């Protein structure tokens, strides 16, 4: 499975960005897709995830109410709409896909994309 993330960029605080992640290859066994992020000098952390079959979603408390994850199972694509962005959202955002149940642990994801940079200026 290959994951291609796009949509990162530079935005001012309070602005919005939309990330996309398309999965290709042997996608039939993907159960959920999600986003993690890693800021400079920090460990990678969970952001959000979605079940491609039932549409269940899961958010980190730091982004809940500001970010919205959605998915298109027919296209094996997941989107992350990020609103009211803050400087602390600045990070490299990684797309991930997994065969296991929805969750926030890196170990629950089997496939990872290359990352896309999101920079929020104050």
């Amino acid at each position: 499975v290959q994951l291609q993330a796009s949509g990162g960029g530079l935005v001012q605080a309070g602005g919005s960005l939309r990330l996309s992640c398309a999965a290709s290859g042997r996608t039939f066994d993907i159960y959920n897709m999600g986003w993690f992020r890693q800021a400079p000098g920090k460990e990678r952390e969970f952001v959000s995830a979605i079940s491609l079959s039932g549409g269940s979603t899961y958010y980190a408390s730091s982004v809940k109410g500001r970010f919205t994850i959605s998915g298109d199972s027919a296209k094996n694509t997941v989107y992350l709409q990020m609103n009211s962005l803050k400087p602390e959202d600045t990070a490299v955002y990684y797309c991930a896909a997994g065969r296991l149940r929805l969750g926030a642990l890196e170990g629950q994801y089997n496939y990872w994309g290359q990352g896309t940079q999101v920079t929020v200026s104050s």
Side-chain angles (χ1 to χ4, degrees):
V1 174
Q2 295 78 45
L3 301 177
Q4 181 67 48
S6 60
L10 173 64
V11 65
Q12 289 187 331
S16 299
L17 281 175
R18 187 191 195 210
L19 305 183
S20 299
C21 177
S24 60
R26 296 172 60 88
T27 59
F28 60 87
D29 63 346
I30 292 178
Y31 175 77
N32 64 74
M33 294 181 71
W35 293 93
F36 287 73
R37 67 185 182 186
Q38 187 168 23
K42 295 187 177 181
E43 293 187 353
R44 189 157 59 184
E45 64 176 3
F46 171 77
V47 176
S48 182
I50 185 168
S51 163
L52 292 182
S53 58
S56 299
T57 58
Y58 189 18
Y59 295 94
S61 58
S62 59
V63 306
K64 200 167 186 178
R66 300 187 298 121
F67 291 11
T68 302
I69 192 169
S70 60
D72 185 335
S73 59
K75 297 181 179 180
N76 291 307
T77 299
V78 63
Y79 307 96
L80 186 67
Q81 178 65 43
M82 305 185 294
N83 298 329
S84 302
L85 283 162
K86 305 174 182 180
E88 50 264 44
D89 295 317
T90 295
V92 176
Y93 283 69
Y94 295 92
C95 173
R99 301 190 298 264
L100 303 177
R101 61 185 297 177
L102 197 65
L105 301 177
E106 291 192 28
Q108 293 176 282
Y109 295 85
N110 307 94
Y111 311 104
W112 292 83
Q114 83 286 4
T116 184
Q117 177 71 46
V118 171
T119 303
V120 184
S121 63
S122 57

